[in-house]
Amino acid sequence: MSAPERIPPRSVTTAELLAEGELKVRGRIREASNAALYCTVSHDGQEAFCIYKPVAGERPLWDFPDGTLAQREVAAYEVSEATGWGLVPTTVLRDGPYGEGMCQLWIEGQPDVELLALVDGEEPEAGWKAIGFADVGEGRTALLVHADDERLRRLAVLDAVINNADRKGGHLLPTGEGRLYGIDHGVTFNTENKLRTLLWGWAGEPLTADAAEALGTLKDGLTAGGALATRLAELITPAELDATRARVDAMLTSGKHPEPSGEWPAIPWPPV
């Protein structure tokens, strides 16, 4: 009798690995405002590092419903994927050692890549965009700037769509392969305008053709019965979904990056 044919192991996608793999807690990210656990996840012979944020570890917020931050993180990933830009690490909702929570692929950032800076002078140098002036102590101010980087510009568009209320410098992860990821999207998708970000350098400027195309794709996906609308309906409220549609429509109509509304602090502080 001949030996049975050896079947090679099935390739596991990153999403399957995060959603179905065995989750083991290795430590805690102490700087995080909510419980953020550093973990390994393994499945079918594959293993990866990830961040697990259990719903039970979320601090109550006055302007967001309790126990919804994990779902908002997943919703931000879904919108990012729909644009085709891949700006948010793979993120799933799953059960874990401390109950249901968000599980996101760990990204090893490159700290030596400079995307933000405080500089002297009234205007930014070439290759930089002005954010605003910051008090640096002893009665001195400095100009806060961010890189004039197409990856950041895409992220600024994504933040406007998801209504990100907390885009800080520490939430930007450039990699050694030239990618840029944004993380920490728990305070997003509010029905009120809460956009608070460091990426105001393009405020009021025309959208790129690339951004307009991505927004058009989102508009199609957000129509009733569309794939993106169906997925988001599992994660955010109907009113929040309608507000997301309205933000996409507003940017397509204006053809410009949004500007600070004046109704909400426009820049998070501290910026990191």
Side-chain angles (χ1 to χ4, degrees), residues 22-28 37-42 47 49-50:
E22 181 183 6
L23 201 58
K24 292 185 178 180
V25 177
R26 304 299 184 185
R28 180 172 182 174
L37 306 176
Y38 181 62
C39 303
T40 55
V41 60
S42 55
E47 186 175 70
F49 294 107
C50 62

Side-chain angles (χ1 to χ4, degrees), residues 52-72:
Y52 160 55
K53 297 181 181 179
V55 172
E58 295 178 4
R59 293 191 309 166
L61 299 172
W62 68 269
D63 51 350
F64 285 85
D66 292 350
T68 67
L69 305 191
Q71 291 94 321
R72 295 170 194 279

Side-chain angles (χ1 to χ4, degrees), residues 90-155:
T90 306
T91 313
V92 303
L93 198 65
R94 60 161 294 165
D95 195 27
Y98 299 101
E100 185 179 59
M102 177 278 276
C103 187
Q104 184 176 83
L105 184 69
W106 174 265
I107 300 297
E108 198 65 50
Q110 297 293 307
D112 58 337
V113 177
E114 191 173 35
L115 297 174
L116 298 165
L118 282 167
V119 298
D120 294 324
E122 299 290 321
E123 298 291 337
E125 296 182 357
W128 295 88
K129 305 289 284 186
I131 304 168
F133 289 96
D135 183 354
V136 293
E138 299 181 352
R140 294 180 57 247
T141 61
L143 184 64
L144 181 61
V145 297
H146 66 67
D148 188 2
D149 186 309
E150 182 59 30
R151 301 169 302 171
L152 286 180
R153 191 165 190 170
R154 285 178 166 184
L155 196 57

